[in-house]
Amino acid sequence: PVLRVTRRGPEALHFVPAALEPGAEVLLSLDWERRFDHMQQHSGQHLITAIAEQMFGFKTTSWELGRQRSLIELDTPSVTAEQVEALERSVNEKIRDRVPVTVRELEADDPEIETVRSRGLPDDHVGPVRIVDIEGIDSNMCCGTHVSNLSDLQVIKLLGTEKGKKNKTNLVFLAGNRVLKSIEQSHSTEKALTSLLKNGPGEHVEAVRRLQSSVKLLQKNNLNLLRDIAVLIARDFKSKPAPRQLFVLHRKEGDSEFMNIIANEIGTEETLLFLTVGDEKEAGLFLLAGPVEAVENLGPRVAELLGGKGAGKRGRFQGKASKMSRRGEVQALLEEFISHRSP
């Protein structure tokens, strides 16, 4: 594998995992699928850049070849949906026109270089200057790999814009086989949603909205029930004829508010409370509440036993735990502490 390639003057440096003997012959195997994908995206970028400048005066300041989608940074604070649509229509017309793409080399002092779109030559440049021409559309100084005809791009899809750096706009695009892969992925997602939602693709959005509304209502009802349960648990504890010095409770369904309601209802001036919610053997939340001095002493030790982190103030120490299976060890620690505490 070639880890990366960089340029130093006139040479291309290839970085490989192990040293090669000087003068040894090597067989280079090209990943053509990856190379052709890069050619489609790069030539697509040249075409989009040229047409965007011709149609709207938007200059390209940089671009990024991503693994799944690519970005062109345009020197404009905004691009309208109508401009994106017109730009997409125009670049695809050029693809259907089967415009040739050619590569030529000029000497560094050739005056024609001044007419070519460029961000300038590197300081250590040596030898001829490489120009990529899209016939009648664009001439650009470039050292990248490109298709030989715009028809090789197949199609370009502009996915819209994103906010870029200050006063810049990022234009997101796919070219060639990436468009086909995107359609295939979208179709698979559409089929899966049709099966899950039991309706046609045109009704998916409305079906999801209804589900979201139902989930919000259920979550609200569940939260209210948990609050009621927390109050009842606390009242049941307080109704016992002989108050206990330690109260331990675990509930799989619950959250921090659930635990704090119990602590508020019971009161923590005399009673030490160890409350946990979440998975019984894996991760969850914990709350240690009680007399301030006891909590300050025991809180960090409880967090350590549970494999978690927490913080506390005014008689409460709470946080996240990764080892809820060690709740029994925490309870034993608290019982030992209470047994040695003076009345």
Side-chain angles (χ1 to χ4, degrees), residues 170-202:
N170 293 332
L171 179 65
V172 187
F173 77 94
L174 303 173
N177 289 331
R178 291 194 183 190
V179 179
L180 300 178
K181 289 179 181 178
S182 178
I183 292 172
E184 182 180 354
Q185 184 179 18
S186 296
H187 182 60
S188 297
T189 302
E190 186 179 278
K191 285 174 64 178
L193 287 173
T194 296
S195 176
L196 289 169
L197 299 173
K198 309 299 181 188
N199 58 15

Side-chain angles (χ1 to χ4, degrees), residues 100-172:
V101 180
T102 56
V103 175
R104 56 197 172 101
E105 293 183 346
L106 301 177
E107 293 303 319
D109 58 356
D110 193 316
E112 188 179 346
I113 289 179
E114 299 300 322
T115 66
V116 173
R117 187 164 57 84
S118 166
R119 285 189 290 173
L121 286 169
D123 293 336
D124 62 348
H125 175 78
V126 178
V129 178
R130 190 170 182 269
I131 309 296
V132 176
D133 291 314
I134 304 176
E135 189 176 287
I137 298 173
D138 185 47
S139 288
N140 189 10
M141 192 183 297
C142 183
C143 61
T145 54
H146 290 270
V147 298
S148 59
N149 192 289
L150 289 187
S151 63
D152 291 331
L153 299 183
Q154 300 167 269
V155 66
I156 286 176
K157 179 60 186 173
L158 304 183
L159 299 178
T161 60
E162 298 175 352
K163 186 175 177 58
K165 298 174 185 176
K166 187 176 181 181
N167 294 325
K168 305 281 178 78
T169 300
N170 293 332
L171 179 65
V172 187

Side-chain angles (χ1 to χ4, degrees), residues 245-246 270-272 288-299 301-302 329-343:
Q245 290 183 292
L246 176 65
E270 300 296 334
T271 305
L272 192 60
L288 181 70
V292 174
E293 186 178 347
V295 171
E296 287 179 352
N297 179 25
L298 294 167
R301 295 164 67 188
V302 170
E329 296 177 47
V330 174
Q331 184 171 345
L333 170 70
L334 301 180
E335 287 173 348
E336 181 182 3
F337 174 83
I338 289 173
S339 69
H340 289 87
R341 187 173 64 175
S342 59

Side-chain angles (χ1 to χ4, degrees), residues 7 17 35 43 62 91 147-148 178 194 202 227 236 244 286 335:
R7 182 191 59 78
R35 167 60 62 81
S43 297
S62 68
V91 296
V147 298
S148 59
R178 291 194 183 190
T194 296
R227 287 170 177 163
D236 178 67
R244 288 169 287 168
F286 72 92
E335 287 173 348

Side-chain angles (χ1 to χ4, degrees), residues 35-84:
R35 167 60 62 81
F36 187 60
D37 171 58
H38 287 188
M39 290 161 61
Q40 287 185 318
Q41 309 317 307
H42 199 166
S43 297
Q45 177 265 314
H46 276 221
L47 177 61
I48 296 167
T49 287
I51 300 300
E53 186 167 349
Q54 290 171 18
M55 291 182 70
F56 308 113
F58 299 155
K59 292 187 179 297
T60 292
T61 47
S62 68
W63 85 290
E64 177 186 345
L65 171 60
R67 292 183 181 274
Q68 294 180 320
R69 61 179 198 160
S70 298
L71 302 174
I72 297 175
E73 184 185 70
L74 298 174
D75 191 14
T76 176
S78 64
V79 180
T80 67
E82 292 76 18
Q83 288 171 327
V84 171

Side-chain angles (χ1 to χ4, degrees), residues 287-335:
L287 170 65
L288 181 70
V292 174
E293 186 178 347
V295 171
E296 287 179 352
N297 179 25
L298 294 167
R301 295 164 67 188
V302 170
E304 184 180 1
L305 277 174
L306 295 176
K309 293 182 178 180
K313 60 182 179 180
R314 294 194 295 273
R316 297 202 182 181
F317 191 99
Q318 55 191 335
K320 295 180 179 179
S322 61
K323 300 176 182 177
M324 296 291 277
S325 58
R326 300 182 69 179
R327 295 190 327 277
E329 296 177 47
V330 174
Q331 184 171 345
L333 170 70
L334 301 180
E335 287 173 348

